[in-house]
Amino acid sequence: MNNVAVIGSQWGDEGKGKIVDWLSSEADIVVRFQGGHNAGHTLVIDGVTYKLRLLPSGIVRKNKISIIGNGVVIDPWALLDEIEEIRSKGVMIGIDNLIISESANLILPFHKEMDEIREDAAGKAKIGTTRRGIGPAYEDKIGRRSIRVMDLISEKNLDQRLETVLLHHNAIRKGLGKNIFKKDKLKEDLLKIAPKILKFSKPVWKKIYEFKKQKKKILFEGAQGILLDVDHGTYPFVTSSNTVASAAATGSGCGPNSINYVLGITKAYTTRVGEGPFPTELKDDIGEKLGTRGKEFGTVTSRKRRCGWFDGVLVRQTIKISGIDGIALTKLDVLDELDEIKICVAYEIDGKEIDYLPAAVEDQLKVKPIYKSYKGWKSKTKGIKKLDDLPPNAKIYIKELEKFIETKISSISTSPERNDTILIEDPFKS
Ligand code: GDP
Ligand code: IMO
Ligand code: MG
């Protein structure tokens, strides 16, 4: 049995959607286990683009089961809109191929409002969130006042749960001089859509157990990236969930031994959306070039992504934190035209060299990257499907990178298209 967890090893948008879709030809089940519609996973299949936010990237393939686990925060209206949008592209979505955990927590309109109120009030100290209500929804989950999918079953229960959560939110809203959020309209709106959500709802832990017994292959699809992890990322400039591979177990209801291979998706350079430290950021022409060639605009918010050189120190660190077994290196083709390509191999802080990113944000902002330079290959890698067909300098860059991060590069992606991918080691078979 081989189940694979796919996670981002940088600050998100590494190309997880593309790789999950490509790998899901081999999987039976694809499971989202954390995050919410802050995620934006892009698939390109024969020229048709699908942008997925909450739906697992396996949804577009026939005869696969997609699961939204308990660890995901669900905005029910966003989910219903997304289902309609993807259906309109000819994809079948029904109770036979989509399961939602009854224990998943809901993102409600007052969460989104709280996200916006706080970001607006923070001024320069803002996090640059996606303003989708992710943070406030996870706060309510941990604060034990959240509303879960299963709460939509009973009007009486929903009423009580809303009373509890709004008591908390309205106290804060009053303090910030905002209007009170009214319960009755929200309850009415929720009860209207409840049947559309509840029809997908099941005990996911039980389904996963059954699938494992049937020897089905499960692909766990992470959102965001390890540097956005609430424990291990560049706190406080992070998201509000654990994005590491072990979150796949808690976020879906199976043991950590259900994950047999952790595949870290890694861009051949680095990007970040939102605020926060970024040691290898390039605020020059090369940064602009990477952004233009890589089409680095947020899938969710359309914000311009910040771009920089590959940070080997950071990726080596996230590999260790998350137990990554192999790397899928993406967007190699974006580097095709560069004369020189750099990898960050150490940092300098206060005149001292260090080999990891310190935990304090003040230090993270101070570190200066130390680079090693490589010659560009100046030829087209876009669409290459065989390792042997890569230009020699590209092979050197990949080998050096592999050596530095001490982890095998098990696949290489050379365009947004599903099949423009070089397979070196199959994570389901190793
Ligand atoms: P995710 O959030 O990790 O799923 O990544 P996104 O979908 O937000 O961003 C990755 C972007 O890069 C998308 O537009 C993909 O279509 C695109 N992409 C993925 N792999 C490659 C690749 O190898 N080359 C190029 N040029 N684009 C890629
Ligand atoms: P995928 O799955 C890139 C970033 C936001 C912000 C921070 C907190 O597509 O890789 P949040 O709304 O989560 O409270 O915002 O996290 N962020 C992402 N950046 N890719 C993502 O998802 C992201 N999801 C959140 O930009 O900096
Ligand atoms: Mg994305």
Side-chain angles (χ1 to χ4, degrees):
M1 182 191 71
N2 242 346
N3 300 324
V4 177
V6 168
I7 54 167
S9 75
Q10 293 153 318
W11 277 292
D13 302 326
E14 298 91 347
K16 296 176 292 293
K18 165 176 169 164
I19 299 295
V20 169
D21 167 55
W22 172 66
L23 274 179
S24 62
S25 70
E26 274 192 77
D28 302 297
I29 322 282
V30 183
V31 186
R32 271 283 306 270
F33 55 87
Q34 48 70 233
H37 64 319
N38 50 349
H41 296 180
T42 319
L43 327 182
V44 184
I45 305 160
D46 298 330
V48 182
T49 301
Y50 303 81
K51 288 182 189 290
L52 301 172
R53 295 176 287 272
L54 275 161
L55 292 169
S57 297
I59 198 80
V60 297
R61 290 196 188 251
K62 286 199 180 102
N63 306 319
K64 310 283 170 188
I65 293 176
S66 289
I67 298 183
I68 299 179
N70 54 279
V72 176
V73 280
I74 303 174
D75 176 327
W77 290 280
L79 177 62
L80 293 174
D81 284 351
E82 187 177 340
I83 290 174
E84 280 320 308
E85 186 189 319
I86 299 301
R87 272 185 185 150
S88 74
K89 299 196 165 192
V91 176
M92 297 276 290
I93 304 176
I95 54 168
D96 293 336
N97 68 341
L98 178 65
I99 301 173
I100 301 175
S101 167
E102 52 187 9
S103 331
N105 293 261
L106 297 183
I107 301 184
L108 296 174
F110 53 82
H111 291 126
K112 182 175 160 45
E113 286 183 25
M114 187 62 75
D115 203 351
E116 294 193 318
I117 292 168
R118 288 204 299 232
E119 282 288 274
D120 289 340
K124 275 193 172 162
K126 73 170 196 272
I127 288 165
T129 71
T130 58
R131 295 176 172 246
R132 296 291 189 269
I134 305 293
Y138 275 118
E139 286 167 34
D140 282 347
K141 170 182 172 173
I142 303 301
R144 295 163 294 187
R145 54 182 172 265
S146 183
I147 293 171
R148 303 195 285 173
V149 167
M150 64 178 83
D151 293 320
L152 296 173
I153 293 173
S154 134
E155 189 267 338
K156 194 167 155 237
N157 181 43
L158 185 60
D159 193 87
Q160 279 168 4
R161 300 297 302 158
L162 280 172
E163 193 76 44
T164 306
V165 72
L166 284 175
L167 187 71
H168 175 85
H169 275 263
N170 282 333
I172 302 173
R173 291 169 74 106
K174 257 192 244 166
L176 293 169
K178 303 288 170 189
N179 64 332
I180 293 299
F181 201 99
K182 301 252 171 54
K183 180 184 71 179
D184 289 348
K185 170 79 169 64
L186 176 58
K187 189 174 74 179
E188 206 179 288
D189 290 346
L190 276 172
L191 288 170
K192 240 185 255 164
I193 56 158
K196 295 186 191 174
I197 298 287
L198 285 169
K199 71 174 185 190
F200 296 108
S201 136
K202 292 200 177 104
V204 160
W205 62 270
K206 196 162 184 288
K207 296 304 290 182
I208 291 188
Y209 184 76
E210 285 162 16
F211 291 139
K212 279 191 337 195
K213 272 188 112 173
Q214 295 161 11
K215 304 259 182 283
K216 302 275 190 210
K217 287 185 187 169
I218 306 174
L219 188 52
F220 296 94
E221 176 179 7
Q224 291 81 51
I226 301 170
L227 295 169
L228 290 169
D229 182 281
V230 69
D231 284 284
H232 300 288
T234 46
Y235 191 93
F237 300 99
V238 292
T239 192
S240 294
S241 65
N242 282 115
T243 59
V244 287
S246 39
T250 44
S252 62
C254 60
N257 54 353
S258 300
I259 304 159
N260 310 100
Y261 189 100
V262 181
L263 182 66
I265 314 302
T266 306
K267 228 176 245 192
Y269 50 100
T270 313
T271 62
R272 164 161 218 176
V273 211
E275 309 303 316
F278 183 171
T280 61
E281 182 170 14
L282 292 168
K283 292 180 177 162
D284 59 7
D285 280 359
I286 300 176
E288 281 295 315
K289 233 186 217 168
L290 290 174
T292 311
R293 268 192 69 88
K295 299 198 172 68
E296 297 295 356
F297 291 91
T299 317
V300 174
T301 55
S302 306
R303 286 177 293 174
K304 202 170 167 181
R305 294 175 184 152
R306 300 153 65 191
C307 297
W309 292 123
F310 185 84
D311 193 333
V313 178
L314 275 186
V315 172
R316 190 177 57 187
Q317 188 164 326
T318 58
I319 285 171
K320 288 178 180 160
I321 286 168
S322 203
I324 287 172
D325 295 299
I327 292 288
L329 189 70
T330 60
K331 305 193 89 160
L332 186 72
D333 55 295
V334 174
L335 307 179
D336 281 357
E337 284 172 7
L338 298 176
D339 297 314
E340 184 193 28
I341 299 168
K342 294 185 185 178
I343 299 179
C344 171
V345 291
Y347 297 133
E348 194 218 291
I349 183 164
D350 301 328
K352 269 197 235 140
E353 198 175 308
I354 54 168
D355 63 358
Y356 69 99
L357 188 73
V361 75
E362 302 75 37
D363 291 337
Q364 294 176 352
L365 289 166
K366 261 202 294 193
V367 297
K368 290 200 178 65
I370 299 172
Y371 290 116
K372 218 169 155 180
S373 274
Y374 297 90
K375 261 201 187 137
W377 42 93
K378 308 271 287 175
S379 58
K380 191 175 147 201
T381 63
K382 192 168 193 241
I384 288 183
K385 296 179 182 63
K386 282 198 219 128
L387 194 59
D388 283 348
D389 294 345
L390 287 177
N393 283 352
K395 284 187 192 154
I396 292 171
Y397 180 68
I398 291 162
K399 274 282 152 225
E400 287 290 311
L401 211 143
E402 195 170 45
K403 206 164 74 191
F404 185 79
I405 60 177
E406 300 162 23
T407 306
K408 191 173 175 69
I409 291 176
S410 59
S411 50
I412 300 165
S413 166
T414 58
S415 105
E417 270 285 344
R418 178 188 271 175
N419 293 321
D420 290 343
T421 315
I422 301 168
L423 177 67
I424 300 165
E425 173 186 272
D426 186 338
F428 279 109
K429 294 193 181 120
S430 50

